Amino acid sequence: MHGEYKVPGGKLVVVDLDVEGGALRNVRVAGDFFLEPDDAILAIEAALEGAPAHTGTAGLAARIDAALPASTMMLGLTSEGVAVAVRRALAHATEWSDYDWQLIHEAPQSPALHMALDEVITTEVAAGRRPPTLRVWEWASPAVIIGSFQSLRNEVDPAGAERHGITVVRRISGGGAMFVEPGNTITYSLSVPDSLVSGLSFADSYAYLDDWVLGALGDMGIKAWYQPLNDIATDAGKIAGAAQKRLVGGEGAVLHHVTMSYDIDADKMLDVLRIGKEKLSDKGTKSAKKRVDPLRRQTGLAREAVIERMIDFFRARHGLTRGTVTDEEMARAEELVATKFGTEEWTARVP
């Protein structure tokens, strides 16, 4: 069995092993990490040898920590990262390189249609009718996108939304409200087979699926990291928020989408969103204006250039070919707009 895991912000760890009599056997650990002293790798392998195959990530990491010499230094590697690679091997997880990735980046579309396309494309990936897909969104109009379980009245000021011509839509994933304007935000979706995140906890899958964008931001001079559960942050503040939805059917698939702030109009956002003191308190800040830091100032690049460099980075790391939404997929998405995402019943399903 073979498992790989790219430690977020770190290096690749690879584990090969067998299972005999319900226990791990012939465990071998490798990767492009740095580890001192040299024989620490033997201690890691010995700690895993004979471990019950049902041992969880925390239990495997604890075995490794207990066995490591006191002088051990890990760079780009963690005991939890090794444990995750073991769990991925046992789960027969797939890797990024196992797929021919497709890019969809088309003309601006309405907020409700974007919600529908996320569902349709991810359903197609789950059924095996579409390859794993990176979709970069272009917005036809400004919008507030609320999470699947959020209260409409608690999150959005209807007078403010009407004043600024803001459409309110509800997505199928959880998480918080996102304020978007054409030209001021960068939004993308990953629709991936469930096997790509096998062996990862729900929380770990967020950082795993966005590790590529952290690398892309790094190439643009931005030191960014994942701030659990679902924020991408820098020293200057939050720049993005992510959300996920697991879809069943076929072999299953994961929808992972992210909205990044390029040049947010904080005053307008505050006039539309009802951002309470309780929500701000858990972010360690008193001002909502300080919660979102625009990419324009940090990169000095045009929005289109930022998107192009993100796509180029993904292509260099994982491979990427240009694709399109098929006529059938678009017809199904438009039907979902009419019957679900464009209806008051769906948008206000949690009043």
Side-chain angles (χ1 to χ4, degrees), residues 224-256:
W225 60 88
Y226 229 92
Q227 185 169 295
L229 170 65
N230 61 335
D231 289 347
I232 297 175
T234 70
D235 287 333
K238 172 183 172 179
I239 60 174
Q244 283 188 11
K245 175 68 175 179
R246 263 66 170 171
L247 296 185
V248 297
E251 296 185 1
V254 177
L255 167 64
H256 177 94

Side-chain angles (χ1 to χ4, degrees), residues 123-162:
T123 299
E124 290 297 285
V125 171
R129 292 187 292 265
R130 160 176 283 282
T133 299
L134 167 65
R135 186 171 72 91
V136 179
W137 304 20
E138 295 293 345
W139 295 92
S141 60
V144 167
I145 305 96
I146 59 175
S148 180
F149 309 107
Q150 287 190 295
S151 164
L152 177 61
R153 71 165 67 98
N154 289 345
E155 299 298 326
V156 181
D157 183 327
E162 183 177 0

Side-chain angles (χ1 to χ4, degrees), residues 6-11 76 207 211 214 224-225:
K6 170 71 165 55
V7 177
K11 298 294 186 176
D211 186 68
L214 299 186
W225 60 88

Side-chain angles (χ1 to χ4, degrees), residues 210-228:
D210 277 334
D211 186 68
W212 69 276
V213 84
L214 299 186
L217 290 170
D219 276 2
M220 288 181 265
I222 299 178
K223 182 181 179 182
W225 60 88
Y226 229 92
Q227 185 169 295

Side-chain angles (χ1 to χ4, degrees), residues 2-331:
H2 178 87
E4 298 184 4
Y5 180 58
K6 170 71 165 55
V7 177
K11 298 294 186 176
L12 179 70
V13 56
V14 181
V15 173
D16 290 283
L17 56 83
D18 298 317
V19 174
E20 298 174 2
L24 308 186
R25 301 296 180 192
N26 305 315
V27 180
R28 293 294 179 265
V29 178
D32 60 354
F33 49 80
F34 299 92
L35 181 64
E36 295 288 348
D38 283 353
D39 58 4
I41 193 73
L42 301 179
I44 292 173
E45 293 173 345
L48 296 171
E49 191 73 22
H54 59 74
T55 307
T57 301
L60 293 170
R63 291 175 69 106
I64 294 169
D65 288 337
L68 285 173
S71 59
T72 299
M73 294 182 59
M74 293 182 176
L75 295 175
L77 176 70
T78 63
S79 57
E80 184 181 49
V82 177
V84 170
V86 170
R87 295 308 314 170
R88 285 176 60 75
L90 293 168
H92 301 285
T94 54
E95 309 299 332
W96 295 84
S97 59
D98 291 332
Y99 302 104
D100 295 323
W101 292 86
Q102 186 172 110
L103 169 69
I104 294 176
H105 188 194
E106 298 185 337
Q109 291 157 329
S110 72
L113 186 58
H114 277 307
M115 303 303 108
L117 284 171
D118 259 0
E119 181 170 324
V120 170
I121 289 171
T122 309
T123 299
E124 290 297 285
V125 171
R129 292 187 292 265
R130 160 176 283 282
T133 299
L134 167 65
R135 186 171 72 91
V136 179
W137 304 20
E138 295 293 345
W139 295 92
S141 60
V144 167
I145 305 96
I146 59 175
S148 180
F149 309 107
Q150 287 190 295
S151 164
L152 177 61
R153 71 165 67 98
N154 289 345
E155 299 298 326
V156 181
D157 183 327
E162 183 177 0
R163 186 160 47 247
H164 296 291
I166 305 292
T167 300
V168 181
V169 292
R170 186 185 294 275
R171 61 181 184 266
I172 60 174
S173 61
M178 304 301 296
F179 175 81
V180 302
E181 294 182 288
N184 284 355
T185 48
I186 297 172
T187 304
Y188 64 87
S189 301
L190 282 170
S191 297
V192 307
D194 186 67
S195 57
L196 184 64
V197 295
S198 291
L200 297 177
S201 68
F202 188 82
D204 287 342
S205 69
Y206 275 82
Y208 181 71
L209 291 177
D210 277 334
D211 186 68
W212 69 276
V213 84
L214 299 186
L217 290 170
D219 276 2
M220 288 181 265
I222 299 178
K223 182 181 179 182
W225 60 88
Y226 229 92
Q227 185 169 295
L229 170 65
N230 61 335
D231 289 347
I232 297 175
T234 70
D235 287 333
K238 172 183 172 179
I239 60 174
Q244 283 188 11
K245 175 68 175 179
R246 263 66 170 171
L247 296 185
V248 297
E251 296 185 1
V254 177
L255 167 64
H256 177 94
H257 43 201
V258 174
T259 293
M260 310 176 74
S261 171
Y262 175 73
D263 192 12
I264 198 79
D265 185 333
D267 290 326
K268 187 183 294 184
M269 178 183 72
L270 290 175
D271 199 32
V272 176
L273 294 183
R274 288 174 167 160
I275 301 176
K277 293 181 180 179
E278 186 68 23
K279 183 178 293 185
L280 293 175
S281 69
D282 72 1
K283 303 295 183 181
T285 183
K286 296 181 180 179
S287 172
K289 290 186 181 182
K290 296 179 181 179
R291 289 190 56 211
V292 183
D293 188 69
L295 283 171
R296 182 180 63 81
R297 180 172 59 83
Q298 294 195 59
T299 64
L301 298 171
R303 174 181 176 274
E304 293 74 16
V306 174
I307 292 174
E308 182 179 358
R309 290 181 64 164
M310 287 170 57
I311 291 172
D312 287 345
F313 189 93
F314 190 103
R315 182 181 292 111
R317 179 179 282 194
H318 301 306
L320 192 64
T321 59
R322 175 74 67 164
T324 186
V325 177
T326 68
D327 291 342
E328 182 180 349
E329 288 169 340
M330 183 59 74

